[in-house]
Amino acid sequence: DADVTQTPRNRITKTGKRIMLECSQTKGHDRMYWYRQDPGLGLRLIYYSFDVKDINKGEISDGYSVSRQAQAKFSLSLESAIPNQTALYFCATSDRTGGFYGYTFGSGTRLTVV
Amino acid sequence: AQKITQTQPGMFVQEKEAVTLDCTYDTSDPSYGLFWYKQPSSGEMIFLIYQGSYDQQNATEGRYSLNFQKARKSANLVISASQLGDSAMYFCAMREVNFGNEKLTFGTGTRLTIIP
């Protein structure tokens, strides 16, 4: 099994629908992140969490919410999806190993809003 | 101002040649870290190499090395003896910590194509 698992891998949804992207990890890391990737823009941070009780907004949090259900689970919700939220979404975890904070990324969720 | 700048949207390199992917960064923090990731067409993000701001030596990992020039704020990735499997998007990223808040900021990426 992958260290960081994202579900679903691909999703097509309609404008206005609520959708949840899920992330679970077996790394035992406290820190978890949601990123969005758009062509030509690299990855941008949506939300991050340093532990179950700590949730922080990233640079593009509008239109998104998150839930940290447990140390191993971090979900991203789009309350009312819109077409410009069509993107590749990555979940990541981090921890200090080998003298620096390394990041482990999930395989990504490709979301299309029509 | 961009935190991470990758000025090469795309590059074509002959197989077995060395290639340098450029990355410049902007930060006022004395402590930061620089990462390079590879993203093949399948989409996953693969960690390649890391350089800490206080590291005295340039980082190396197999065929990957990081040419770290702190005064110039550049952290170029060098891939020696390129292979067809090196064709992918490459992202430079910087980790900063401000008032306990950690952030990993990415550049816009360089698409590398290795020509047989």
Side-chain angles (χ1 to χ4, degrees), chain A residues 31 33 35 37 90 101 103, chain B residues 35 39 43 91 95 102 104:
Chain A
R31 302 181 177 209
Y33 311 79
Y35 285 88
Q37 183 180 14
F90 284 102
Y101 275 96
Y103 295 79
Chain B
F35 297 78
Q39 186 179 43
F91 291 97
R95 176 182 177 269
E102 173 189 347
L104 187 65

Side-chain angles (χ1 to χ4, degrees), chain B residues 8-72:
Chain B
Q8 307 151 309
M11 288 186 70
F12 290 84
V13 173
Q14 203 73 38
E15 188 181 6
K16 299 181 184 177
E17 290 185 352
V19 57
T20 298
L21 305 182
D22 295 341
C23 174
T24 57
Y25 60 91
D26 181 28
T27 182
S28 55
D29 294 334
S31 179
Y32 53 91
L34 295 156
F35 297 78
W36 277 93
Y37 288 89
K38 173 184 179 180
Q39 186 179 43
S41 57
S42 52
E44 70 266 32
M45 297 291 286
I46 301 169
F47 166 74
L48 295 178
I49 198 165
Y50 170 83
Q51 180 85 41
S53 59
Y54 294 120
D55 294 343
Q56 296 295 312
Q57 307 239 355
N58 286 346
T60 60
E61 289 286 349
R63 293 187 300 113
Y64 304 108
S65 60
L66 201 152
N67 183 1
F68 182 46
Q69 299 188 43
K70 196 170 182 178
R72 297 180 62 183

Side-chain angles (χ1 to χ4, degrees), chain A residues 50-66:
Chain A
F50 285 176
D51 65 42
V52 175
K53 297 180 181 179
D54 178 67
I55 304 287
N56 303 281
K57 292 182 178 181
E59 60 181 307
I60 53 163
S61 58
D62 287 348
Y64 301 94
S65 63
V66 290

Side-chain angles (χ1 to χ4, degrees), chain B residues 69-90:
Chain B
Q69 299 188 43
K70 196 170 182 178
R72 297 180 62 183
K73 293 189 175 179
S74 80
N76 298 339
L77 176 70
V78 180
I79 306 174
S80 63
S82 58
Q83 302 170 356
L84 296 178
D86 294 333
S87 294
M89 280 290 287
Y90 288 81

